[in-house]
Amino acid sequence: MASGDVINYSVRPAKTVERKIIKDIFSNLNAFIPLNEYRYIGFGSKYFSDFKIFHKELHIEDMISIEDDEENKEKYIFNNPFDCIQLNFGKSTDVLTDLIYEKPFICWLDYDYALEQSVIDDLDILLENLPEESGSVISISLNVRPYRHNSLKEELKKEGTHSELLEDKLQKIVEKKFIPFDLPKQGLNKADIHSEIIRQIITNKILNKLKLINSALEDSLKWEFKQIFNFLYKDGAEMGTWGWLFYKSKDQDKFEKSGLEHSEFYSSNEQIYTITIPNLTIKEINQLLEKMPLKEGKEIDRSALPGSIYSECDIYNFSKIYKYFPSFVNAEFG
């Protein structure tokens, strides 16, 4: 069963916030080419949530949705919200292999599962096909729920420390050279620790691939890349999302002009931005909105936001994402 039959992707609050933040981050890419000249590649599922926001807000019209649930082809075609979205059915590795990459793309591979070899294969295809022009972005979302020690013992049918068994598990998924040599010994049951391990594996793969590609290029045409975000959120399972921008060495100034580094959500390293959705009622949200934005160094007026209703944690988390906070309405039409 496709995960879209289990989860309504359009109403997951943390995912909705993440999608809106990423849209804002992508809006800086017009330093490379106008946004409406990008191609967007993603997994639309039957909700096409990312396609809707990127078409409406970024005005991208060249869009390809990859869908491997070929048994329900009619359902995906029926739910396609725009004529500019081309549906390509098949495994992502096959579809990505068949595409022609003539212009910069934004590709968000929003997997609903954990790291697998096929993820590395998809990444490999995209890196091999980076268009000549700078400005392409590859984003990957993965389930980063940690592998528990006892589960690894059972699966691998052997004893060992958590770190040792995790390394064995990862070596069944990716080549050893991509696995961090200094896997942590502690905290391996934490999603942020596991997310960082997966981020390092993918980053190592990118470094390795670009080194090979760049070996045949003159200095000004060599590929550079920057990680531009590093998110962790949980609507159900813990999910990690990372994005990397690729540009030619000669276009370093375009990256600097883009302003990407000035986004409060920019992360070029292991620094994770955790999207936390406070559990608030509509009335509580409306009251809190009236106090936004919080002024730096100014105390919160607790007479208007009583501690019996608003925790410090909820106020802080809300203040970081209130511009992106989703509004879901339960309504009946007709």
Side-chain angles (χ1 to χ4, degrees), residues 13-26 53-54 108 265 321-328:
K15 187 68 182 179
T16 299
V17 168
E18 180 190 64
R19 193 180 296 119
K20 290 179 178 178
I21 293 173
I22 288 177
K23 181 268 297 177
D24 269 7
I25 293 173
F26 286 165
I53 192 169
F54 296 158
W108 187 356
F265 302 104
I321 59 169
Y322 74 93
K323 295 175 189 169
Y324 307 98
F325 208 79
S327 299
F328 299 129

Side-chain angles (χ1 to χ4, degrees), residues 92-115:
S92 55
T93 305
D94 296 331
V95 173
L96 291 172
T97 300
D98 291 341
L99 291 181
I100 296 172
Y101 300 85
E102 294 180 316
K103 61 181 181 179
F105 58 78
I106 297 169
C107 183
W108 187 356
L109 301 176
D110 191 0
Y111 304 99
D112 55 9
Y113 46 81
L115 181 67

Side-chain angles (χ1 to χ4, degrees), residues 89-334:
F89 290 92
K91 297 292 183 188
S92 55
T93 305
D94 296 331
V95 173
L96 291 172
T97 300
D98 291 341
L99 291 181
I100 296 172
Y101 300 85
E102 294 180 316
K103 61 181 181 179
F105 58 78
I106 297 169
C107 183
W108 187 356
L109 301 176
D110 191 0
Y111 304 99
D112 55 9
Y113 46 81
L115 181 67
E116 294 181 358
Q117 180 58 49
S118 62
V119 174
I120 301 297
D121 293 341
D122 287 351
L123 176 61
D124 200 55
I125 293 165
L126 291 170
L127 292 171
E128 278 186 359
N129 288 284
L130 285 171
E132 279 301 305
E133 203 167 356
S134 295
S136 290
V137 170
I138 299 174
S139 178
I140 292 177
S141 294
L142 287 169
N143 183 319
V144 291
R145 178 175 290 170
Y147 298 110
R148 303 289 174 181
H149 193 182
N150 285 337
S151 299
L152 289 172
K153 285 181 188 175
E154 188 174 331
E155 178 185 337
L156 301 172
K157 301 188 187 319
K158 62 190 295 188
E159 294 294 323
T161 67
H162 198 170
S163 184
E164 289 168 345
L165 295 183
L166 177 61
E167 184 169 359
D168 287 351
K169 168 72 178 179
L170 292 173
Q171 283 187 41
K172 290 178 176 294
I173 300 171
V174 297
E175 292 180 65
K176 185 177 181 179
K177 63 184 177 185
F178 300 135
I179 300 171
F181 67 89
D182 55 349
L183 282 177
K185 303 288 188 287
Q186 305 291 328
L188 292 174
N189 285 332
K190 296 180 179 177
D192 58 340
I193 301 289
H194 189 69
S195 179
E196 173 57 16
I197 293 170
I198 302 304
R199 186 194 71 86
Q200 288 185 35
I201 289 173
I202 298 173
T203 304
N204 288 341
K205 168 63 187 176
I206 294 172
L207 282 165
N208 178 268
K209 188 70 180 183
L210 290 192
K211 185 178 179 183
L212 289 173
I213 295 172
N214 282 339
S215 64
L217 300 174
E218 61 182 76
D219 285 350
S220 66
L221 299 179
K222 289 186 189 300
W223 285 103
E224 305 279 348
F225 76 104
K226 294 279 187 185
Q227 180 189 298
I228 54 177
F229 51 81
N230 179 2
F231 293 117
L232 180 67
Y233 72 91
K234 181 179 179 182
D235 283 320
E238 296 93 343
M239 299 292 294
T241 299
W242 313 271
W244 297 270
L245 168 68
F246 298 84
Y247 57 90
K248 293 290 180 71
S249 180
K250 64 183 176 64
D251 292 324
Q252 174 69 31
D253 63 321
K254 292 182 179 178
F255 170 72
E256 291 164 1
K257 289 176 182 173
S258 71
L260 282 160
E261 290 177 294
H262 303 302
S263 166
E264 62 183 304
F265 302 104
Y266 178 81
S267 172
S268 62
N269 51 37
E270 71 279 5
Q271 190 69 41
I272 292 174
Y273 187 92
T274 301
I275 297 172
T276 305
I277 304 295
N279 188 14
L280 300 168
T281 68
I282 297 295
K283 190 170 183 178
E284 289 163 357
I285 290 170
N286 289 336
Q287 179 81 0
L288 202 45
L289 274 173
E290 292 179 6
K291 307 302 174 190
M292 297 294 124
L294 296 181
K295 299 284 191 310
E296 194 171 345
K298 184 179 177 184
E299 275 195 39
I300 300 169
D301 178 7
R302 277 312 207 156
S303 63
L305 302 172
S308 57
I309 298 175
Y310 299 97
S311 69
E312 291 287 341
C313 184
D314 279 350
I315 294 173
Y316 174 78
N317 287 329
F318 187 79
S319 73
K320 302 299 288 182
I321 59 169
Y322 74 93
K323 295 175 189 169
Y324 307 98
F325 208 79
S327 299
F328 299 129
V329 178
N330 183 9
E332 293 184 6
F333 298 95

Side-chain angles (χ1 to χ4, degrees), residues 41-58:
I41 305 167
F43 301 149
S45 186
K46 61 187 178 185
Y47 302 102
F48 296 95
S49 302
D50 46 342
F51 286 78
K52 289 175 183 173
I53 192 169
F54 296 158
H55 176 60
K56 289 182 177 179
E57 304 290 335
L58 302 181

